[in-house]
Amino acid sequence: MTRPTLDQAAAWRPDALRRLADAWDEAARVVHLGASIAARSSVPWAGASGEAAQRHAIALAADGDAVARALVLAAVAARDGADQIAAAQAEVTARVGAADDEGFLVRDDGSVVAATEPPALLVLLCGGDAAVLAQVLADRGAELSQRIAEALDALGAADDDAARDVRDALNAMDHP
């Protein structure tokens, strides 16, 4: 897994994954309907050719049902993935917002640095000592950086998990 940047994290659209899931559900419905029609079709002729046509129709129906099942499983995986990605995105946004609210600057890689002008109250709490102030800001920036990095890692993991689940669902067909 590669940790996404903040720009990449903001660009992901879980709703697009949900729309894809809806399209897969519709495709599964159409495929299943077509497979059912093929399986029920009656062959108007007898003999070897009629029997062969019926065998092919039954095989086609089985393949269609396998494709439909795989599409439904993939749609479920995509929706679950979209939910996980959206939740992870929200956590990234919340952690970045918290750092911003404290007056820190957040870079695209998720690292946090102190703003140019520290809050006056913090200067007073540090006794006006520049070295103490710098250390407090550095420590807090490191803590916020770690929290944002963890959220970005969780987002990357959610994306990887969704991709793996969709791939596995589509590969689960018991027919070629």
Side-chain angles (χ1 to χ4, degrees), residues 39-140:
R40 288 192 317 261
S41 66
S42 61
V43 179
W45 65 88
S49 62
E51 290 172 12
Q54 188 62 38
R55 276 194 314 273
H56 287 299
I58 291 169
L60 176 65
D63 286 347
D65 283 342
V67 169
R69 277 191 304 276
L71 287 169
V72 168
L73 290 173
V76 169
R79 282 190 190 90
D80 181 57
D83 292 344
Q84 289 180 27
I85 289 168
Q89 257 184 331
E91 186 62 26
V92 168
T93 301
R95 291 184 183 190
V96 169
D100 286 340
D101 290 347
E102 290 186 36
F104 287 87
L105 302 174
V106 182
R107 296 180 179 141
D108 191 42
D109 66 356
S111 62
V112 176
V113 295
T116 55
E117 201 56 43
L121 178 59
L122 186 58
V123 174
L124 288 174
L125 290 173
C126 292
D129 187 328
V132 172
L133 178 61
Q135 188 60 52
V136 167
L137 290 172
D139 289 347
R140 184 60 180 155

Side-chain angles (χ1 to χ4, degrees), residues 2 6 45-46 152 157 168:
T2 302
L6 290 176
W45 65 88
L152 287 169
D168 291 349

